[in-house]
Amino acid sequence: MASIFTFDHDPPRVNSPWQASQDSGKRPHAERSVTTGAIPDSEQLSVSDVERLEAEPQDGPIEYKLHLLLRPRRTYSKMSTTLTVSGSQQSRQVRGAVGRPRQTTLPLAASNQTRQNRLHHLTTQLLWRLQQSSPNHSTARRDLVVPKLPEDIADLAALEKPGKLLPGLEESNGALYEIGVADDGTFVGLTKDEMDESMTTLKVMAASLGCRVEVQRMKAVGSCEWTPSTSQSTDEVQHADLWVAEALVMPVLNVQSNRDDQQANQLSSTPRRGASITEQLRVSLIGPTTSGKTTLLGTLSNGTLDNGRGSSRINLLRHRHEVASGRTSSIAQELIGYEGQRIFNYNIDNINEWPDIHDRAENGRLVFLLDSAGHPRYQRTTLRALVGWAPHWTLLCIPANEDGPSTSGAHSLSGADGATGVGIASLDLALAHLDLCLKLAIPLAILVTKSELGQRASLKEKLNIVFTKVKAMGRTPKLLTSAARDEDGLAEVPNVDLQKIKDEVIDHIDKTSDPLSVVPIILTSAVKGMGIGLTHALLKSLPVPPIPTARDFVPLALNPEQPAALFHVDEVFEMSLSRAQTAATSGTSESAPVVTGYLRFGRLSIGDRVVLGPFPGDDEDTGALVPKDHPSPGYGLSIPHPSSAEFARLNSRHPLSASKIEGEWRQATIVNIRDLRLPVQTIEAGQAGSIQVVFDVSNGEVSDTTLDKPSVSTPRLRKGQVLAVPSQHMVDTGLSLQAASSLTASFKASDVKSLTVNSLIIAYVGMVRAAVRVLRVLRQKSDLDSRKTAREDDDDIFAMNDHIELERTKSEADLDEYQAEYHVLLEFLNSRDWIELGSQIVLVEGGPKDRSGLEGHVGKVIEIGE
């Protein structure tokens, strides 16, 4: 449960029982073609050799049905197949009919509601079988929409057209129906009219779920006799053959329909059916490595208290070394739902996975929490959680029980042996996190963890330091305490805590119209339960920012290359395609990449044509040197600085300027979307999730030497790339998305002048983490400089101060330096990246070992160079 990005790389397969029944001991099971669903010619079976099938499996995507009639079956006087039926209902009926007068055919059901109920039951059964061939057995989120049957059964053909695919079935590999077969695998058979009627029913069932039916094989298995109900003579006997059939039910991914819907709804802000409409709040947890972030998150998401030894965080750790060391090195995610005072987490019955939380909190709120690393060795993980994921709010965890305040004004971060990360004071590291959050201007709340272990005097000193820093940035700290009992906040949010948050936090934000105006501070304990209810009340009540748009940073007129939709890529996986996806995309590969991240703005749907990139040109090395997201080997707990292994590798390999590397964009089609693990048709702006794409294959990419397995060059995706839909303006004018080789950033703080020209540093912009070279640091003229120049010009007119140098007072100089603006020109190395104009940028230059690695320069991108 530690990550939202978990996929089954070996999804269930749909294998025909006819293959296993022919000769299971001499040949392996042949698999149906993933492209057409048909049996390959080389694997065609002689249906005449199969006398019966194996018994119906209880689980899996295979269903045996004697028939799918919505009426009672006629009574037969003789069936050649019933001699082999063992204990079936049909067998007992026929044997009982022998030796007594033949009965007439039973009439149709008198009540139309009976037919409707049977259709609903059969459709539910089909849905369950389709889900059995889906990875992780994904559940459909919407209620079934079973069509209302007409009174005349002949009119069912009008209902055979597939409707919109039910959300949750996009990844299904289909289901096989063996019609005319008993549960034990015996061939019973249906007459031609009964088989046609059953197939019509199956098509109506499949169409209501957005699926189609393909008949795979039919076989005559016997004969039967019966007397028509209209016949007055017992000598008028009808004869017919009995047939069994195999039908494959496959989801229909209506790609063209989805594209048309996107164009029709391009300007509509109303989410289309199939998208999650539940309000989502994205929150990052940061803090020192011993602050108890993961333990607190485990208590919030599992609804159970910790035992004091980290029991509540075990399920959240993603790697074995994290369990062994107790240090989080990656970003783990959890989901909590709220509706009213109810808390929907894993402590609630029937909640086993995230789609269950989606369903229970559909009319409430979803809080997506990202747990980051705290140790300086993994500072890049912290920066990804703060910069890359663009959280709506950040929770800074500060332990109450460890070390006192720093004795010096600067943070002392070096240990006894001088190695970064050994013996670091937790408060110093926490204050480094706090400084970065204040620089980034992120809405912030502070959780003081392990409160049951803290001493009053030490805690008071820590809070005084925190209060001073928060107030220095013009924000108002609010220390909150709960009047509810500690154990009351595990299952429901206490009403007194909700009222407390409203009075102290929400009303203050509403009054100032600024979420940065207040910083709530809560004392918590994952062992005693202190402050847990108040934390839940905070997460439930914090305001969610407006839906992001392409005009958030700069006006669209100043940035005509802005796409219609933009998805930031954080991680990349490989996942098998379902048969329906392979057939819909006409692809040559059985797998396709899955990119995870969040949708910056716009809307993406299954079937949309998108572009991904930028990629290096065909003649460039796709494995070019880029900063790796793992600690530098050989330097223990080192952090990136010019003498570390990472920068040493960059310098030793003579990195190329990105301007000498072409940037290309590859076209692809979206075949699958998950919104926080929930299978959906559409993902909306601001939502986080995962998207599976199939790249377009050009004729030049298919090898002529191998016909049966074409060689296709698959682009190598990486973190920091984007998935986008070009805007209509770009399509009309022929513009393509930019692939930046350099940028200019503006910084308000004067400490950025310490950057050395031609030095290598790390830049964080959105999901991009790139090595850059500093080309220029230029100080812009301030208002005081302008006034001074004007005053000197006026004096020169009268020639009175030719040799008099005007000196400003120290206060003027300090004010001038405070208001100074610096423009820094940066050059990307080895690869181009897509950078959004006006986005926030953080520069980390490293340096001496008494730094936390979080002392970055925060600025704004004002110009992009290609």
Side-chain angles (χ1 to χ4, degrees):
M1 299 178 185
S3 175
I4 66 172
F5 309 130
T6 303
F7 296 94
D8 186 357
H9 294 276
D10 188 19
R13 297 292 181 181
V14 184
N15 295 316
S16 174
W18 290 70
Q19 302 170 20
S21 299
Q22 188 193 35
D23 192 356
S24 59
K26 294 183 179 180
R27 58 186 293 172
H29 294 181
E31 238 183 69
R32 193 175 310 279
S33 169
V34 297
T35 303
T36 64
I39 303 295
D41 293 339
S42 61
E43 300 293 340
Q44 284 289 350
L45 302 174
S46 176
V47 295
S48 60
D49 296 337
V50 180
E51 298 297 333
R52 63 177 295 157
L53 303 179
E54 295 180 349
E56 178 189 43
Q58 294 299 318
D59 298 323
I62 301 176
E63 177 71 24
Y64 292 2
K65 302 299 292 187
L66 282 174
H67 65 84
L68 292 171
L69 303 177
L70 301 181
R71 59 170 175 82
R73 258 188 110 180
R74 66 169 63 96
T75 300
Y76 295 95
S77 59
K78 181 180 179 181
M79 294 182 68
S80 62
T81 57
T82 56
L83 296 178
T84 59
V85 177
S86 176
S88 70
Q89 182 180 1
Q90 182 65 38
S91 174
R92 291 193 297 271
Q93 290 178 353
V94 173
R95 290 170 181 169
V98 176
R100 67 172 186 265
R102 296 182 179 90
Q103 301 178 5
T104 59
T105 304
L106 293 176
L108 296 180
S111 172
N112 188 53
Q113 184 63 32
T114 302
R115 296 173 57 212
Q116 188 71 40
N117 289 342
R118 174 163 168 76
L119 180 64
H120 190 282
H121 171 75
L122 292 173
T123 306
T124 304
Q125 193 176 51
L126 172 60
L127 172 62
W128 188 81
R129 289 297 186 183
L130 288 169
Q131 291 170 347
Q132 290 292 296
S133 66
S134 298
N136 304 320
H137 289 198
S138 303
T139 57
R141 183 165 181 258
R142 301 294 180 184
D143 294 333
L144 293 181
V145 182
V146 181
K148 185 177 181 180
L149 292 176
E151 294 183 3
D152 185 1
I153 196 168
D155 292 339
L156 283 178
L159 304 176
E160 294 180 8
K161 183 178 180 180
K164 197 164 188 178
L165 185 65
L166 191 71
L169 296 182
E170 296 87 357
E171 304 167 14
S172 174
N173 284 288
L176 281 175
Y177 265 61
E178 310 296 337
I179 303 176
V181 181
D183 290 345
D184 62 355
T186 303
F187 291 156
V188 177
L190 298 174
T191 59
K192 185 65 168 62
D193 61 322
E194 290 176 334
M195 181 62 73
D196 292 342
E197 201 172 316
S198 294
M199 282 295 179
T200 299
T201 303
L202 182 59
K203 291 178 181 179
V204 172
M205 295 158 45
S208 67
L209 301 176
C211 302
R212 70 177 188 273
V213 177
E214 299 176 1
V215 178
Q216 301 298 302
R217 56 173 60 85
M218 292 187 68
K219 176 185 179 181
V221 295
S223 60
C224 64
E225 298 179 358
W226 78 95
T227 303
S229 59
T230 58
S231 175
Q232 301 297 327
S233 173
T234 57
D235 295 333
E236 186 179 349
V237 179
Q238 298 287 332
H239 301 269
D241 291 332
L242 294 174
W243 296 83
V244 295
E246 181 182 65
L248 175 65
V249 182
M250 290 286 293
V252 176
L253 299 180
N254 197 342
V255 174
Q256 185 60 43
S257 175
N258 285 334
R259 294 175 189 166
D260 295 340
D261 289 344
Q262 183 195 18
Q263 294 176 0
N265 296 285
Q266 187 74 29
L267 301 178
S268 173
S269 59
T270 303
R272 289 175 290 174
R273 182 184 176 191
S276 174
I277 59 175
T278 309
E279 181 183 74
Q280 294 184 11
L281 181 72
R282 192 163 60 248
V283 178
S284 289
L285 269 74
I286 64 170
T289 187
T290 57
S291 61
K293 301 182 302 298
T294 309
T295 300
L296 178 61
L297 179 57
T299 298
L300 294 173
S301 60
N302 294 322
T304 57
L305 296 178
D306 187 65
N307 63 356
R309 296 184 297 274
S311 61
S312 64
R313 67 190 175 103
I314 294 299
N315 291 332
L316 275 68
L317 300 178
R318 301 178 62 183
H319 305 290
R320 183 175 300 176
H321 71 84
E322 294 179 330
V323 178
S325 65
R327 293 173 178 168
T328 303
S329 63
S330 58
I331 295 180
Q333 299 90 8
E334 273 302 339
L335 188 68
I336 304 175
Y338 299 95
E339 185 173 347
Q341 291 184 236
R342 294 292 308 277
I343 303 172
F344 298 113
N345 52 23
Y346 295 119
N347 193 39
I348 304 298
D349 293 338
N350 299 323
I351 290 185
N352 300 311
E353 52 187 10
W354 286 15
D356 298 331
I357 299 178
H358 280 271
D359 292 339
R360 302 291 288 274
E362 184 173 7
N363 298 320
R365 162 182 288 194
L366 295 172
V367 178
F368 176 42
L369 296 120
L370 301 105
D371 178 31
S372 64
H375 197 279
R377 183 183 188 185
Y378 309 110
Q379 52 89 4
R380 66 197 69 186
T381 304
T382 303
L383 289 169
R384 279 178 56 204
L386 287 175
V387 181
W389 276 99
H392 301 148
W393 282 78
T394 296
L395 301 183
L396 171 60
C397 296
I398 300 178
N401 65 321
E402 298 184 11
D403 33 72
S406 302
T407 56
S408 62
H411 307 323
S412 177
L413 294 169
S414 59
D417 57 357
T420 303
V422 180
I424 295 178
S426 292
L427 179 61
D428 292 334
L429 194 53
L431 294 179
H433 284 82
L434 176 60
D435 290 340
L436 181 60
C437 289
L438 295 175
K439 289 180 181 179
L440 291 171
I442 300 175
L444 177 67
I446 298 176
L447 304 180
V448 180
T449 58
K450 306 180 183 180
S451 297
E452 79 282 2
L453 302 178
Q455 298 182 357
R456 182 181 296 272
S458 175
L459 180 59
K460 184 177 180 180
E461 293 183 27
K462 292 181 181 180
L463 291 178
N464 284 337
I465 298 175
V466 172
F467 273 54
T468 301
K469 285 183 171 291
V470 171
K471 291 179 179 179
M473 297 299 293
R475 303 196 193 183
T476 304
K478 293 273 188 178
L479 183 60
L480 307 178
T481 57
S482 175
R485 295 181 303 173
D486 293 343
E487 62 272 15
D488 290 343
L490 295 178
E492 288 189 352
V493 183
N495 190 55
V496 293
D497 290 342
L498 285 173
Q499 190 62 40
K500 184 79 171 181
I501 295 296
K502 181 181 182 302
D503 296 339
E504 299 291 338
V505 180
I506 305 303
D507 289 347
H508 192 283
I509 294 176
D510 293 341
K511 183 179 179 180
T512 60
S513 300
D514 183 11
L516 299 177
S517 61
V518 61
V519 178
I521 302 175
I522 302 176
L523 303 180
T524 65
S525 170
V527 175
K528 301 295 184 180
M530 179 192 311
I532 298 300
L534 201 58
T535 304
H536 277 300
L538 184 70
L539 294 175
K540 181 190 180 302
S541 305
L542 287 176
V544 177
I547 297 177
T549 68
R551 303 171 179 83
D552 291 341
F553 296 157
V554 295
L556 197 59
L558 300 180
N559 190 14
E561 297 182 6
Q562 195 79 321
L566 182 72
F567 184 89
H568 285 289
V569 176
D570 175 60
E571 293 189 71
V572 181
F573 299 90
E574 193 76 15
M575 182 179 175
S576 299
L577 286 171
S578 69
R579 290 190 172 107
Q581 293 167 342
T582 306
T585 57
S586 300
T588 58
S589 176
E590 297 184 12
S591 63
V594 176
V595 296
T596 65
Y598 72 95
L599 187 60
R600 163 72 179 85
F601 56 81
R603 173 186 290 165
L604 295 174
S605 300
I606 293 177
D608 286 351
R609 296 294 303 277
V610 297
V611 294
L612 284 92
F615 294 97
D618 293 336
D619 57 342
E620 305 293 343
D621 180 16
T622 56
L625 253 182
V626 292
K628 304 297 183 182
D629 272 344
H630 55 75
S632 302
Y635 279 79
L637 299 177
S638 64
I639 61 176
H641 54 77
S643 61
S644 68
E646 183 173 26
F647 283 99
R649 288 197 304 271
L650 286 172
N651 283 313
S652 64
R653 299 185 185 184
H654 306 289
L656 289 175
S657 168
S659 61
K660 299 180 181 179
I661 301 174
E662 296 295 330
E664 294 185 351
W665 297 89
R666 299 293 298 268
Q667 294 186 346
T669 301
I670 297 177
V671 296
N672 189 11
I673 298 177
R674 286 190 177 186
D675 182 356
L676 298 179
R677 286 190 191 171
L678 178 70
V680 293
Q681 293 280 351
T682 301
I683 186 172
E684 302 289 340
Q687 295 180 345
S690 52
I691 298 176
Q692 187 176 24
V693 296
V694 173
F695 285 100
D696 293 353
V697 180
S698 61
N699 294 332
E701 290 181 318
V702 180
S703 174
D704 296 332
T705 58
T706 307
L707 298 180
D708 54 344
K709 290 184 179 180
S711 176
V712 180
S713 60
T714 302
R716 180 181 176 183
L717 290 164
R718 58 180 174 84
K719 296 180 181 181
Q721 291 180 322
V722 295
L723 181 152
V725 176
S727 64
Q728 190 61 44
H729 171 72
M730 298 176 67
V731 174
D732 295 340
T733 58
L735 291 174
S736 64
L737 274 73
Q738 51 88 1
S741 63
S742 63
L743 63 85
T744 301
S746 172
F747 296 87
K748 299 294 185 180
S750 60
D751 56 352
V752 75
K753 63 184 179 182
S754 63
L755 294 177
T756 304
V757 175
N758 289 326
S759 63
L760 300 182
I761 58 177
I762 297 295
Y764 294 84
V765 190
M767 287 291 186
V768 174
R769 177 183 182 270
V772 296
R773 178 182 284 113
V774 179
L775 298 183
R776 184 175 65 241
V777 179
L778 182 62
R779 182 179 182 273
Q780 301 299 301
K781 287 187 176 182
S782 64
D783 293 339
L784 289 177
D785 288 336
S786 301
R787 288 196 296 269
K788 176 187 176 183
T789 302
R791 192 164 56 242
E792 289 176 347
D793 293 341
D794 292 340
D795 291 338
D796 289 341
I797 294 176
F798 299 98
M800 296 179 61
N801 295 310
D802 291 341
H803 304 288
I804 301 178
E805 181 180 2
L806 298 179
E807 296 183 357
R808 291 175 294 174
T809 63
K810 188 176 185 301
S811 60
E812 279 185 318
D814 293 341
L815 181 60
D816 187 18
E817 189 66 24
Y818 176 77
Q819 296 178 345
E821 179 180 353
Y822 289 85
H823 289 181
V824 180
L825 177 60
L826 304 169
E827 177 188 43
F828 286 98
L829 302 178
N830 300 304
S831 65
R832 292 173 178 258
D833 286 290
W834 190 91
I835 304 296
E836 184 173 4
L837 191 65
S839 57
Q840 203 169 46
I841 182 172
V842 177
L843 303 181
V844 179
E845 58 179 321
K849 293 185 177 182
D850 59 348
R851 299 169 64 109
S852 67
L854 300 176
E855 294 83 0
H857 308 287
V858 179
K860 183 175 70 173
V861 177
I862 60 174
E863 186 179 344
I864 296 172
E866 296 188 22

